[in-house]
Amino acid sequence: MSNESSVGPIHVLHVDDDSQFGELVEIYLERLDDRITVTPESDAQKALERIRTDSFDCIVSDYQMPEMDGIEFLNSVREDYPNLPFILFTGKGSEEIASEAINAGVTTYLQKNGTEVYELLVNEVQNVVSHQRSQHKAQVAQNRLLALYEQTDGFFIVDRDWTVVYWNQQMEQRSGQPSEDVIGEQIWETFPEAVGTELEEMYREAMETRKASEFETYFEPSGYWLEVRAYPYDDGLFVHSRDITSEKEDEKEIQRRNHILESFANTVSHDLRNPLNVAQGRLQLAQETGDFDHLEEVAQAHNRMRNLIDELLRVARGEELASSEVSLKENVEEAWETVSSKEMELVIEDDTVFEAHDSQLRRMFENLFWNALEHGKASTVRIGVLDGDDKGFFVEDDGVGIPVNQRQEVFNSGFSTADNSPGYGLSIVHGIVNTHGWDISITTSEADGARFEIQGVCSLTQDSTADADVDTAE
């Protein structure tokens, strides 16, 4: 017989006012399937009481009974047990009774007709109980899944017409829309802000192709990131979504820190070159001339390297650097000391005092000077205060200049027009300018070289030195 391996013990309540027939049904069913246990009952009203106190897997009932017929008994059962399998097993069969039974929610309908009907009855009992248990298991699994979704992620279901048929608690919290206002409504009308977004595009694709879709998207109207899984099913679409905004922010922070570490390594390797060159040059002079005064310059260069590393470590850790009032002229002159070239001249046209990170500003000038020397092939560098309403200063040279189409690209880390250059100098300059909240732009100097204009600097004083202060690199 069917379903023998898939159905466990079955407890059947048989209701028939003919007790002798009831006993016969009990004998046949239990003999044909030893997993079936039959409880006979001749009174429909008492049968209802039994259902409330005992547990049954299936009800088999006659139709024509005194006081309460099979349909009335079925209606009473369905009030409290809408899913309990109910087989109408009657000797009085007609289309009218069958139709009435179906309308009342009968599981199946079977006529008493000879001894072979008992095998049919056993099969029907096995089938309806197996189906009911399968549905119950599926419902339990679905309830557990939905309970999990209720506690964790957003989950909703739409039918093929995009009408919402399920909307869980997380979706209520995320959208601000309670389920009673959403269920039964078309999702695009309830959430017009989703129309035209990647969400709509991917949902429609999953619905049309009947293929599951997984993607991440930023939902701009609400300002959060979502990890979305859309699963088509026969009647529509399951959509599971998880707010991953915090994870994206963590990823962004990791990327930021990695960028800082990479920038730190590049900056250290690049900016240590200047004081290292000074130390090496002075040490060589001390060895060649025997003048140990040069060793004082070596010590200062070492101090500069140590201070530079400490400063860069603070920047990498995200610590704030203290600002102070600095003199443009003094800061430029200190930076110029690291330029080991006798072929380039420094001209300081003006002096001004402003708020800045002293050591960072010096690093900026050092990199601009080395850029003029190594890439610009300049012989003169001029420093001055910008005229008019432009608050700031300029650094210009008489070298080869920077082509217009490269004036933004040169600030990118790693960009260089020279094969043997790492391309970090102007990137460091750009970073220091940004740290101060200033702006930097590149134009052409009067001598057709490069001119860097740093704007947005709030000067406290300005002192024109004209040509009185002209420093020449030694």
Side-chain angles (χ1 to χ4, degrees):
M1 294 184 184
S2 63
N3 293 319
E4 286 189 2
S5 61
S6 60
V7 179
I10 301 172
H11 193 184
V12 176
L13 175 63
H14 179 225
V15 184
D16 196 306
D17 62 315
D18 185 343
S19 58
Q20 290 184 341
F21 182 74
E23 183 178 352
L24 188 62
V25 169
E26 179 182 357
I27 292 171
Y28 267 100
L29 264 59
E30 292 183 353
R31 189 180 68 180
L32 290 170
D33 190 337
D34 59 7
R35 295 166 303 171
I36 295 178
T37 300
V38 179
T39 298
E41 182 57 65
S42 59
D43 187 295
Q45 195 63 49
K46 290 182 179 180
L48 288 174
E49 295 175 5
R50 275 185 174 274
I51 295 171
R52 296 187 182 97
T53 57
D54 297 339
S55 177
F56 295 100
D57 298 302
C58 180
I59 296 175
V60 177
S61 174
D62 188 19
Y63 169 73
Q64 196 167 16
M65 296 182 293
E67 297 183 5
M68 181 184 291
D69 65 27
I71 301 300
E72 293 171 335
F73 176 53
L74 172 60
N75 286 327
S76 297
V77 170
R78 284 290 176 255
E79 288 179 5
D80 296 322
Y81 307 95
N83 299 316
L84 181 61
F86 193 108
I87 298 174
L88 193 62
F89 187 46
T90 178
K92 184 179 180 181
S94 68
E95 291 185 4
E96 181 181 352
I97 294 175
S99 176
E100 190 177 358
I102 292 171
N103 291 334
V106 74
T107 307
T108 189
Y109 177 89
L110 194 64
Q111 281 190 279
K112 302 173 182 177
N113 187 13
T115 57
E116 65 274 8
V117 75
Y118 297 112
E119 289 192 7
L120 293 175
L121 180 59
V122 167
N123 280 330
E124 289 294 347
V125 169
Q126 292 172 345
N127 289 334
V128 297
V129 171
S130 177
H131 180 70
Q132 170 61 21
R133 288 178 179 175
S134 296
Q135 283 191 321
H136 178 70
K137 290 180 180 179
Q139 186 63 49
V140 169
Q142 182 179 359
N143 290 342
R144 288 176 179 173
L145 183 61
L146 291 178
L148 178 62
Y149 283 142
E150 288 288 354
Q151 297 171 9
T152 55
D153 304 327
F155 181 68
F156 67 91
I157 304 173
V158 293
D159 63 18
R160 285 181 175 265
D161 295 325
W162 298 102
T163 300
V164 180
V165 296
Y166 182 80
W167 192 258
N168 81 339
Q169 187 176 7
Q170 285 295 321
M171 290 303 302
E172 289 184 350
Q173 295 176 0
R174 186 186 299 165
S175 66
Q177 294 273 17
S179 59
E180 55 266 26
D181 293 346
V182 178
I183 292 177
E185 302 293 331
Q186 195 181 67
I187 193 167
W188 310 123
E189 295 178 358
T190 306
F191 298 98
E193 63 270 21
V195 175
T197 66
E198 187 179 15
L199 284 174
E200 181 191 19
E201 178 185 350
M202 299 304 289
Y203 291 164
R204 290 191 182 278
E205 180 179 330
M207 185 78 86
E208 292 172 6
T209 63
R210 314 308 298 163
K211 293 181 180 179
S213 176
E214 298 184 14
F215 60 97
E216 292 181 0
T217 186
Y218 180 71
F219 190 56
E220 189 171 355
S222 298
Y224 52 66
W225 278 91
L226 290 173
E227 180 186 71
V228 184
R229 294 179 175 86
Y231 301 103
Y233 75 110
D234 290 344
D235 298 325
L237 197 68
F238 290 99
V239 178
H240 165 258
S241 63
R242 187 167 65 91
D243 188 338
I244 58 171
T245 304
S246 61
E247 295 177 19
K248 285 293 184 180
E249 291 174 350
D250 290 343
E251 289 179 9
K252 187 176 180 180
E253 177 63 17
I254 291 173
Q255 291 174 355
R256 187 187 72 83
R257 289 184 178 276
N258 288 340
H259 177 73
I260 288 175
L261 290 174
E262 181 182 359
S263 177
F264 172 74
N266 294 337
T267 302
V268 167
S269 64
H270 184 275
D271 282 8
L272 283 181
R273 177 190 60 176
N274 299 334
L276 185 60
N277 285 341
V278 171
Q280 289 175 336
R282 293 291 182 174
L283 182 60
Q284 183 176 351
L285 286 173
Q287 292 172 336
E288 292 176 353
T289 64
D291 185 356
F292 292 104
D293 289 340
H294 291 295
L295 296 181
E296 180 64 26
E297 296 293 336
V298 174
Q300 291 180 3
H302 286 164
N303 288 335
R304 171 78 178 116
M305 286 188 282
R306 183 175 62 253
N307 293 336
L308 177 60
I309 292 173
D310 290 341
E311 176 186 299
L312 291 173
L313 283 172
R314 291 199 301 273
V315 172
R317 289 193 292 262
E319 298 177 10
E320 290 290 334
L321 297 177
S323 61
S324 60
E325 293 183 11
V326 297
S327 163
L328 176 65
K329 178 176 180 294
E330 292 176 1
N331 198 278
V332 165
E333 288 175 342
E334 290 176 6
W336 186 255
E337 293 178 1
T338 67
V339 181
S340 55
S341 173
K342 298 179 180 180
E343 300 175 356
M344 193 165 69
E345 180 184 37
L346 172 68
V347 177
I348 303 175
E349 294 186 351
D350 313 276
D351 190 19
T352 184
V353 177
F354 52 91
E355 288 279 342
H357 305 305
D358 181 58
S359 59
Q360 290 274 293
L361 186 66
R362 186 164 60 251
R363 286 177 54 224
M364 184 193 75
F365 284 125
E366 288 174 0
N367 279 287
L368 287 173
F369 295 157
W370 280 104
N371 182 76
L373 176 64
E374 294 184 340
H375 299 284
K377 310 301 181 184
S379 59
T380 302
V381 175
R382 307 181 72 88
I383 310 289
V385 178
L386 293 174
D387 296 330
D389 296 331
D390 295 328
K391 302 293 185 180
F393 50 87
F394 65 87
V395 179
E396 66 177 22
D397 60 57
D398 59 354
V400 297
I402 298 175
V404 175
N405 62 349
Q406 294 180 356
R407 289 179 180 176
Q408 288 300 320
E409 196 174 5
V410 292
F411 291 123
N412 295 336
S413 180
F415 176 84
S416 178
T417 56
D419 295 336
N420 60 346
S421 173
Y424 299 130
L426 292 184
S427 172
I428 294 170
V429 170
H430 191 262
I432 294 173
V433 169
N434 284 343
T435 299
H436 285 82
W438 303 335
D439 297 313
I440 186 170
S441 60
I442 302 175
T443 60
T444 302
S445 69
E446 292 183 0
D448 292 330
R451 176 182 171 98
F452 296 85
E453 295 186 352
I454 292 87
Q455 299 176 326
V457 182
C458 295
S459 300
L460 301 177
T461 62
Q462 180 174 338
D463 177 28
S464 177
T465 63
D467 295 329
D469 288 312
V470 178
D471 296 331
T472 305
E474 298 181 356

